[in-house]
Amino acid sequence: MKKIIIANWKMNLDLSKSMSLAVKYKKFGRKTEHELVICPSEFALKKVGEIISGHSIKLGAQNVFWQEDGSYTGEVSARSLEKLGCKYVLVGHSERRQNLNETDEMVNAKVLALLKTKLIPVICVGETLAEKKAKKGKAVLARQIRKALEDVKLGKQQLIIAYEPIWAIGTGQAIKPDQADEQHYYIYSLLERVFGKKKAQKNCRVIYGGSVDAHNGSKLLDLKYVDGLLIGGASLDFKKIAKIK
Ligand code: PGA
């Protein structure tokens, strides 16, 4: 499987800025050997989708709701995202867990909803600095991953775990490569316990996010157990993204 680079533009760009950045990404997409995904704000999905249509760059959403339809003001269903041309959907980003009290149960419901469609969930997990210092990091990852995958049966579907230590997000303090490989190896061992070795290796990818930039991106992407990157801040600068090989 190709390594994947997912650009999470968060709530940083209005519609016209999203569209012009998408045009720049089209140039980069032609040169990279990796799979490239853009996650703009929901209101920009249609227009950005039109810009990258027919191109190897894929579209991703930053969030989804678990119900298929109904009276859920402000929410968007998996089917609607699929119809808009999305291939990937971020679930349980730490900013949503922290700011909107998104729980492990909600993350699980979203993952189950996505797997009823062709959309690929990108499940974000990661420990806080306090948890890391208290040596509880691995236990936090185990809880988040087991809960997110409760009742999940993988047939042909794929899923991605994005390991995003909260202390590394937006802080300029990315994980050290040896630590990343160790954590990712651990996450793989959890996935093997849930799905079995074959499915974990064939259907699952484990990517890293947190202060990835033009300097550390290629090194992190090169690591054995790092299948890709989830990039926030640096993904707003197309030149930085273009430097990650
Ligand atoms: P960052 O964000 O690259 O700005 O640290 C990563 C993320 O939140 O997905």
Side-chain angles (χ1 to χ4, degrees), residues 8 10 93 95 164 168-170 210-212 230-233:
N8 177 11
K10 306 191 181 183
H93 191 284
E95 285 153 12
E164 296 209 297
I169 296 180
S211 295
V212 175
L230 177 53
I231 310 179

Side-chain angles (χ1 to χ4, degrees), residues 146-203:
R146 279 200 200 109
K147 191 69 211 173
L149 299 178
E150 210 166 273
D151 299 326
V152 169
K153 305 262 177 307
L154 278 186
K156 285 205 171 86
Q157 302 105 312
Q158 293 175 29
L159 61 83
I160 295 180
I161 302 290
Y163 172 51
E164 296 209 297
I166 294 169
W167 47 267
I169 296 180
T171 58
Q173 238 201 317
I175 198 165
K176 301 265 177 303
D178 56 327
Q179 278 179 316
D181 240 3
E182 186 194 321
Q183 295 292 77
H184 283 228
Y185 182 77
Y186 175 66
I187 292 171
Y188 260 116
S189 73
L190 293 171
L191 291 171
E192 282 177 8
R193 262 176 260 163
V194 178
F195 297 122
K197 198 166 183 157
K198 226 167 134 193
K199 275 256 145 78
Q201 283 176 0
K202 207 166 157 238
N203 298 40

Side-chain angles (χ1 to χ4, degrees), residues 115-142:
L115 291 175
K116 286 189 196 148
T117 69
K118 290 202 173 74
L119 293 162
I120 300 175
V122 181
I123 307 164
C124 303
V125 297
E127 76 283 3
T128 62
L129 186 60
E131 287 161 346
K132 177 178 148 73
K133 281 187 176 160
K135 302 212 179 310
K136 289 186 183 147
K138 286 200 168 66
V140 170
L141 293 181

Side-chain angles (χ1 to χ4, degrees), residues 28-222:
F28 170 65
R30 239 173 250 130
K31 284 182 221 138
T32 178
E33 66 194 76
H34 310 299
E35 189 175 1
L36 183 60
V37 182
I38 318 182
C39 301
S41 291
E42 188 191 303
F43 60 77
L45 282 170
K46 188 166 187 295
K47 287 285 180 197
V48 167
E50 284 166 11
I51 291 170
I52 59 174
S53 139
H55 193 278
S56 60
I57 300 176
K58 306 285 183 335
L59 193 63
Q62 296 179 17
N63 185 34
V64 66
F65 194 56
W66 56 82
Q67 295 288 356
E68 285 180 20
D69 50 47
S71 304
Y72 303 103
T73 305
E75 298 295 340
V76 178
S77 71
R79 293 256 178 247
S80 301
L81 294 175
E82 200 175 24
K83 281 191 191 151
L84 277 170
C86 290
K87 183 163 180 202
Y88 294 90
V89 181
L90 305 185
V91 182
H93 191 284
S94 62
E95 285 153 12
R96 296 193 58 83
R97 291 183 194 253
Q98 285 177 336
N99 299 324
L100 295 151
N101 295 326
E102 198 157 298
T103 62
D104 289 332
E105 286 74 18
M106 291 178 193
V107 171
N108 177 238
K110 290 178 179 197
V111 172
L112 289 169
L114 287 170
L115 291 175
K116 286 189 196 148
T117 69
K118 290 202 173 74
L119 293 162
I120 300 175
V122 181
I123 307 164
C124 303
V125 297
E127 76 283 3
T128 62
L129 186 60
E131 287 161 346
K132 177 178 148 73
K133 281 187 176 160
K135 302 212 179 310
K136 289 186 183 147
K138 286 200 168 66
V140 170
L141 293 181
R143 189 205 73 226
Q144 290 179 334
I145 290 171
R146 279 200 200 109
K147 191 69 211 173
L149 299 178
E150 210 166 273
D151 299 326
V152 169
K153 305 262 177 307
L154 278 186
K156 285 205 171 86
Q157 302 105 312
Q158 293 175 29
L159 61 83
I160 295 180
I161 302 290
Y163 172 51
E164 296 209 297
I166 294 169
W167 47 267
I169 296 180
T171 58
Q173 238 201 317
I175 198 165
K176 301 265 177 303
D178 56 327
Q179 278 179 316
D181 240 3
E182 186 194 321
Q183 295 292 77
H184 283 228
Y185 182 77
Y186 175 66
I187 292 171
Y188 260 116
S189 73
L190 293 171
L191 291 171
E192 282 177 8
R193 262 176 260 163
V194 178
F195 297 122
K197 198 166 183 157
K198 226 167 134 193
K199 275 256 145 78
Q201 283 176 0
K202 207 166 157 238
N203 298 40
C204 305
R205 281 179 280 184
V206 183
I207 68 174
Y208 170 77
S211 295
V212 175
D213 59 25
H215 305 292
N216 59 21
S218 307
K219 232 180 256 165
L220 287 163
L221 203 54
D222 236 15

